[in-house]
């Protein structure tokens, strides 16, 4: 085990105790091959600090929040219809169970917004990776209801656990496991191949500039402010 | 096979070297002795070679992979037109090979490859031989000027800047020093490295002239009938943005170059110039002729299109040097490198893989702020047993496409060097 793995494992053990027991009774705990990683349980809140409610998540709008680290961006989407659980198959033969949507209509999903291809991610200046609602198809690929990254045209299916529809990505987008409790939403962990290590390796300088230090950028969060993407990103680049 | 290779053991050789007082070569050779054999030798640390070496080790850290490259650091040709015209510094284009060594355990040898002895399964460098089980050759291009000697002087006076490195630095200096007069840019017939690159370069130089209000005119002399990619996008940009300062001459062949009189003779007349970027025809790197993989009269090495394996088993030729259905681009070389790494790793375990989807993306600037692009996805059709392309062009020049272009390149560099 190298140092990095060691730290990751310790981190996982340390935060596991903060996740409630009912969660572990679900299939997640049985995910094989380390495909599920529990992190701090974090409440999703609005910009005013009050808990985010289902009615705040408009169908097909794109919301951004940061989880499990202070700097790792995720998209929150209400897909407007029930999204069923699915088995997500990886190219290397491994697979994992994705739990589908949450909320009263089972329509709310969340994914890491770090592209699984070459780690493009939404910054305050640009987002090349974005959600295309059913009525706004991509000009290039003519596909709608997808998450598409304009850097090299990786296409992901938000209705199928972020799996790859087309393009150069080898892995699905990692999904953020959401839990609803008493009308509030919590992020509790990450399913699939997260790209966090590559993210931190690649963007050291940018993250230091934005967050002051790498340690700050890596801090695990217990609260996530959810905002509309174009409130965070200056230029949403669609293609 | 040379005597040095055959049957001389290490002690004898070191003894001999000391006797002749060759301490520096001795060190080089001593180093080489330890590196005498590798499971995979990768030749050329450009887009294709770096990808192959990294992905071989990433997928199988136990593999012994040696990458041999003559340049001390990697320089990207993609985005180099930005550098030439002042839109980008040189530093973001350059990367150290150290990362491959420290992070992935690739053994990087900074040396010139003098030849490959396929029968002995060994690569000859200036300090000795390295044997291999698998060989991946990605040495890029050479300028194809043997039968057109007039190009030779021009290569020195008018650097084409189609190979990574010093040519770009010199051409940038010439562009910076230029104040007034006629600029000549020539495009060779295909296939050459990066089909849109000359058209992008012409547009960016034109854009720079306009921005700096220089008293200059560009004669853009193309051996082809029209831009060979994104033709609509390039032509509308030339027409809309540069028609007052540039003349685009098509289907014109370069017949002679007089570097002292600063004159180029073409099939469409003679042109005097104050600054010239004469891009010569290209062929596979001459190293491949020496190996015998590039036969007389051939310009590119033929490979199996599914595996990029040459006519010699376990010897792969990727990147611009090979003849494939993919364009000669960094993105293609990168995809091929990933694919060949997978094939070699699988083959070592007695398995076969073949990638059935490949994709090409090309961006090109048409002004200092706007770009156009194309995407081609290739899917393997098992019935016709060939790759079927789906081609999409976005010829509308946009600032957002220029931003995507930058992100495209940065993504590739992240993938190569992190
Ligand atoms: C101006 C310009 C713009 C471009 N823009 C783009 C673009 O936007 N997008 C894109 O996809 N592609 C672009 N390209 C094309 C891209 O640069 C090439 O297709 C790519 O570099 C090919 O990779 P390669 O591995 O075949 O060769 P290279 O990247 O050239 O690598 C070959 C390496 O082998 C080394 N080598 C050769 N001979 C020896 C020897 N005997 N001993 C030791 N080392 C040796 C060389 O030093 C070199 O580093 C552009 C090219 C140019 C010139
Ligand atoms: S980084 Fe997103 S497609 Fe390449």
């Amino acid at each position: 085990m190298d140092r990095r793995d060691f730290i990751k494992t310790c981190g996982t053990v340390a935060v596991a105790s903060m996740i409630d027991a009912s969660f572990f009774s679900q299939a997640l705990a049985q995910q094989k091959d380390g495909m599920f990683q529990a992190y701090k349980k974090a409440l999703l809140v609005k910009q005013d600090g009050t808990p985010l409610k289902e009615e705040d998540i408009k169908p097909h709008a794109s919301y951004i929040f940061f989880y499990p680290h202070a700097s790792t961006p995720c998209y929150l989407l209400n897909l407007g219809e029930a999204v069923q659980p699915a088995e997500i198959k990886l190219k290397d033969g491994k697979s994992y169970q994705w739990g589908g949507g949450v909320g009263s209509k089972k329509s709310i999903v969340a994914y890491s917004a770090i592209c699984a291809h070459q780690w493009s991610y939404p910054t305050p200046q640009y987002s090349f990776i974005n959600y295309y609602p059913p009525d706004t198809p991509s000009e290039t690929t003519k596909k709608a209801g997808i998450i598409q990254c304009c850097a090299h045209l990786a296409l992901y299916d938000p209705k199928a656990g972020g799996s790859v529809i087309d393009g150069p990505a080898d892995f699905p987008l990692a999904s953020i496991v959401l839990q609803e409790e008493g009308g509030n939403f919590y992020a509790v962990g990450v399913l699939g191949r997260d790209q966090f290590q590559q993210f931190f390796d690649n963007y050291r300088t940018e993250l230091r500039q934005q967050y002051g230090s790498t340690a700050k950028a890596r801090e695990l969060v217990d609260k996530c402010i959810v905002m509309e993407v174009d409130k965070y990103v200056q230029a949403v680049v669609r293609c | 096979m040379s005597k040095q290779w055959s049957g001389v053991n290490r002690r004898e050789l070191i003894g001999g070297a000391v006797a002749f007082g060759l301490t520096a070569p001795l060190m080089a050779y001593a180093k080489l002795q330890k590196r005498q054999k590798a499971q995979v030798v990768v030749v050329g640390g450009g887009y294709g070679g770096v990808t192959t070496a990294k992905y071989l080790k990433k997928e199988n850290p136990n593999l012994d992979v040696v990458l041999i490259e003559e340049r001390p650091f990697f320089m990207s040709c993609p985005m180099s037109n930005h550098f030439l015209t002042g839109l980008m510094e040189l530093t973001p284009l350059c990367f150290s090979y150290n990362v491959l060594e420290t992070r992935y355990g690739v053994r990087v040898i900074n040396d010139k490859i003098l030849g490959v002895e396929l029968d002995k399964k060994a690569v000859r460098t200036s300090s000795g031989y390295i044997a291999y089980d698998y060989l991946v050759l990605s040495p890029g291009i050479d300028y194809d000027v043997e039968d057109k000697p007039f190009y030779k002087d021009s290569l020195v006076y008018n650097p084409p800047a189609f190979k990574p490195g010093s040519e770009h630095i010199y051409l940038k200096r010439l562009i910076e020093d230029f104040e007034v007069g006629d600029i000549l840019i020539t495009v060779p017939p295909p296939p050459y490295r990066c089909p849109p690159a000359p058209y992008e370069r012409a547009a960016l130089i034109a854009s720079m002239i306009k921005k700096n209000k220089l008293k200059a005119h560009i004669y853009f002399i193309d051996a082809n009938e029209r831009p060979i990619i994104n033709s609509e996008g390039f032509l509308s940009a030339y027409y809309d943005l540069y028609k007052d300062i540039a003349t685009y001459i098509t289907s014109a062949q370069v017949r002679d170059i007089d570097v002292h009189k600063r004159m180029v003779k073409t099939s469409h007349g003679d042109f005097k110039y104050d600054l010239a970027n004469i891009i010569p025809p290209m062929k596979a790197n001459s190293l491949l002729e020496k190996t015998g993989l590039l036969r007389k009269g051939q310009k590119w090495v033929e490979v199996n299109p599914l595996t990029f394996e040459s006519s010699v088993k376990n010897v792969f030729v990727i990147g611009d040097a090979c003849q494939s259905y993919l364009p000669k681009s960094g993105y293609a070389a990168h995809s091929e490198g990933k694919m060949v790494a997978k094939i070699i790793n699988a083959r070592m375990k007695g398995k076969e893989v073949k990638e059935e989807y490949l994709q090409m993306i090309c961006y090109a600037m048409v002004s200092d702020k706007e770009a156009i692009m194309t995407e081609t996805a290739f899917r393997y059709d098992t019935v016709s047993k060939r790759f079927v392309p789906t081609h999409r062009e976005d010829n509308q020049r946009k600032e957002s496409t220029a931003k995507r272009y930058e992100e495209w390149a940065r993504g590739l560099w992240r993938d190569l060097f992190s």
Side-chain angles (χ1 to χ4, degrees):
Chain A
M1 184 187 285
D2 72 7
R3 191 166 161 259
R4 197 181 288 165
D5 284 345
F6 180 73
I7 293 169
K8 221 172 166 186
T9 310
C10 287
T12 315
V13 173
V15 295
S17 60
M18 305 177 73
I19 294 166
D20 76 35
S22 65
F23 177 67
F24 276 105
S25 67
Q26 295 171 13
L28 278 176
Q30 280 116 51
Q31 297 286 351
K32 288 186 296 239
D33 302 321
M35 285 298 175
F36 173 67
Q37 176 99 16
Y39 286 96
K40 268 188 184 175
K41 182 173 175 178
L43 176 68
L44 305 195
V45 297
K46 291 190 271 190
Q47 280 177 286
D48 64 9
T50 61
L52 183 83
K53 300 290 177 189
E54 185 161 353
E55 57 272 24
D56 299 320
I57 314 168
K58 290 183 224 118
H60 305 299
S62 299
Y63 299 90
I64 192 169
F65 64 98
F66 292 83
Y67 184 82
H69 303 275
S71 61
T72 49
C74 310
Y75 283 145
L76 179 75
L77 306 169
N78 179 350
L79 299 175
E81 59 182 78
V83 187
Q84 302 306 327
E87 185 186 5
I88 311 298
K89 292 199 167 105
L90 304 185
K91 275 192 184 169
D92 62 7
K94 292 179 181 163
S95 67
Y96 56 90
Q97 290 299 323
W98 177 69
V102 297
S104 65
K105 294 202 188 94
K106 302 272 176 242
S107 61
I108 296 163
V109 295
Y111 296 101
S112 164
I114 303 168
C115 183
H117 179 228
Q118 289 168 354
W119 315 296
S120 194
Y121 74 104
T123 67
Q125 288 77 40
Y126 294 104
S127 70
F128 296 96
I129 176 166
N130 294 296
Y131 172 61
Y132 293 70
D135 61 351
T136 323
S138 145
E139 265 181 42
T140 321
T141 61
K142 312 286 179 227
K143 292 209 163 70
I146 51 156
I147 294 175
Q148 177 168 297
C149 178
C150 291
H152 316 94
L153 293 177
L155 266 69
Y156 305 96
D157 190 348
K159 284 193 192 152
S163 47
V164 178
I165 301 172
D166 209 348
D170 280 332
F171 304 108
L173 288 177
S175 52
I176 306 302
V177 180
L178 296 176
Q179 211 180 346
E180 196 195 349
E181 270 174 39
N184 294 339
F185 290 90
Y186 295 87
V188 294
V190 179
L191 246 185
R193 287 266 185 114
D194 71 52
Q195 303 288 319
F196 303 141
Q197 198 54 54
Q198 288 90 336
F199 178 77
F200 291 121
D201 285 346
N202 276 299
Y203 296 110
R204 233 170 266 144
T205 319
E206 291 86 340
L207 293 174
R208 266 203 299 267
Q209 270 165 12
Q210 199 181 340
Y211 293 89
S213 73
T214 320
K216 281 231 158 65
R218 293 184 87 120
E219 263 172 19
L220 293 173
V221 299
D222 53 16
K223 200 184 264 182
C224 308
I225 299 172
V226 178
M227 62 188 122
E228 285 184 51
V229 169
D230 45 16
K231 294 223 170 85
Y232 176 74
V233 177
Q234 243 174 42
V236 173
V237 176
R238 295 180 177 278
C239 57
Chain B
M1 180 61 57
S2 87
K3 208 175 164 201
Q4 188 187 20
W5 176 250
S6 56
V8 181
N9 74 26
R10 186 169 176 242
R11 197 175 305 143
E12 279 168 342
L13 208 128
I14 293 175
V18 172
F20 284 97
L22 301 172
T23 43
L26 163 69
M27 279 164 70
Y29 192 83
K31 223 165 132 195
L32 204 70
Q33 280 291 302
K34 278 189 234 139
R35 296 175 161 173
Q36 208 186 67
K37 171 91 199 250
Q39 284 163 298
V40 189
V41 168
V42 180
V43 167
Y47 271 84
V50 168
T51 309
T52 315
K54 174 182 158 174
Y55 273 84
L56 278 165
K57 288 291 283 185
K58 201 175 165 191
E59 286 167 24
N60 182 0
N62 297 325
L63 211 62
D64 186 12
V65 178
V66 167
L67 173 73
I68 311 169
E69 164 60 48
E70 65 181 318
R71 294 173 211 275
F73 58 86
F74 174 98
M75 190 208 128
S76 173
C77 279
M79 304 295 279
S80 64
N81 286 332
H82 287 65
F83 161 67
L84 289 175
T85 52
L87 301 181
M88 194 180 231
E89 297 292 321
L90 184 61
T91 352
L93 303 179
C94 300
F95 297 85
S96 160
Y97 291 111
N98 282 353
V99 180
L100 297 172
E101 227 156 10
T102 53
R103 235 174 248 174
Y104 295 95
V106 174
R107 295 194 277 140
V108 181
I109 298 181
N110 190 210
D111 205 345
K112 187 170 176 74
I113 299 130
L114 302 175
V116 179
E117 300 190 12
L118 294 167
D119 51 341
K120 304 287 188 318
K121 293 181 135 199
V123 172
R124 182 159 54 93
T125 75
S126 64
S127 30
Y129 285 85
I130 301 163
Y132 60 80
D133 297 321
Y134 292 81
L135 177 66
V136 181
L137 296 155
S138 190
I141 56 130
D142 260 327
Y143 299 125
D144 185 19
V145 296
E146 279 313 308
D147 58 343
K148 296 178 194 73
F150 54 81
Y151 271 116
K152 284 199 176 153
D153 277 351
S154 175
L155 292 181
V156 179
Y157 287 85
N158 309 309
F162 263 70
K163 288 187 194 182
S166 53
E167 287 179 25
H168 285 86
I169 296 167
Y170 185 34
L171 179 58
K172 159 98 167 158
R173 165 90 176 273
L174 296 176
I175 293 174
E176 275 174 352
D177 284 352
F178 174 82
E179 279 180 332
V180 62
D182 289 336
I183 300 178
L184 198 70
I185 303 171
T186 70
V187 187
Y192 59 83
R193 160 169 283 184
C194 196
Y199 303 99
E200 174 187 71
R201 191 176 285 175
L204 282 181
I205 291 177
S207 164
M208 194 190 74
I209 283 171
K210 269 205 116 145
K211 200 161 132 195
N212 298 340
K213 296 192 174 66
L214 298 182
K215 278 202 159 73
H217 195 88
I218 299 172
Y219 292 94
F220 184 38
I221 299 175
D222 191 348
N224 306 287
E225 267 178 46
R226 62 176 69 85
I228 55 181
I229 190 166
N230 278 112
S231 118
E232 197 190 317
F234 279 117
L235 288 175
S236 72
Y238 296 161
Y239 189 80
D240 294 347
L241 306 173
Y242 312 120
K243 77 170 184 261
D244 48 337
I245 57 156
T247 309
Y248 180 39
I249 299 150
T250 61
S251 306
Q253 318 300 322
V254 173
R255 297 251 163 91
D256 199 6
I257 305 165
D258 187 330
V259 289
H260 302 293
K261 289 191 187 140
R262 292 171 166 255
M263 154 96 82
V264 173
K265 288 181 194 289
T266 79
S267 55
H268 284 41
D270 300 351
F271 295 86
K272 278 191 73 81
Y273 62 80
D274 299 286
L275 170 69
N277 181 220
I278 294 166
I279 305 168
M282 296 173 206
K283 64 177 182 56
N285 192 293
S286 58
L287 177 68
L288 293 159
E289 279 164 5
K290 292 183 208 155
T291 63
L293 288 171
L294 187 68
R295 297 197 193 92
K296 264 229 157 331
Q298 282 185 326
K299 304 273 185 220
W300 313 98
V301 178
E302 274 173 24
V303 291
N304 174 339
L306 273 177
T307 59
F308 289 83
E309 193 166 17
S310 71
S311 53
V312 179
K313 192 163 168 57
N314 295 334
V315 174
F316 300 81
V317 181
I318 62 166
D320 291 353
C322 75
Q323 173 77 57
S324 88
Y325 58 95
L326 297 172
K328 299 195 181 299
S329 76
Y331 201 73
H334 176 65
S335 309
E336 293 160 21
K338 272 186 173 179
M339 189 204 281
V340 165
K342 242 184 233 169
I343 291 170
I344 292 175
N345 274 326
R347 219 175 254 191
M348 284 185 169
K349 294 180 195 145
K351 295 182 187 158
E352 287 289 316
V353 288
K354 49 181 182 289
E355 206 74 355
E356 300 197 336
Y357 169 84
L358 277 173
Q359 175 218 36
M360 257 344 79
I361 294 186
C362 266
Y363 291 93
M365 298 298 283
V366 286
S367 73
D368 60 343
K369 291 197 179 62
E370 297 163 316
I372 51 179
M373 61 98 53
T374 58
E375 191 234 355
T376 314
F378 296 90
R379 281 184 182 74
Y380 189 67
D381 177 32
T382 44
V383 179
S384 64
K385 292 201 168 19
R386 63 186 192 93
F387 280 94
V388 182
T390 320
H391 186 68
R392 294 186 276 241
E393 291 198 356
D394 184 354
N395 285 307
Q396 282 237 302
R397 53 180 186 273
K398 289 179 227 145
E399 286 190 24
S400 62
T401 311
K403 289 293 166 203
R404 288 172 59 197
Y405 186 1
E406 221 176 299
E407 185 63 13
W408 168 90
R410 288 189 195 281
L412 272 179
W413 301 333
R414 285 195 289 270
D415 203 8
L416 290 175
F417 291 105
S418 71

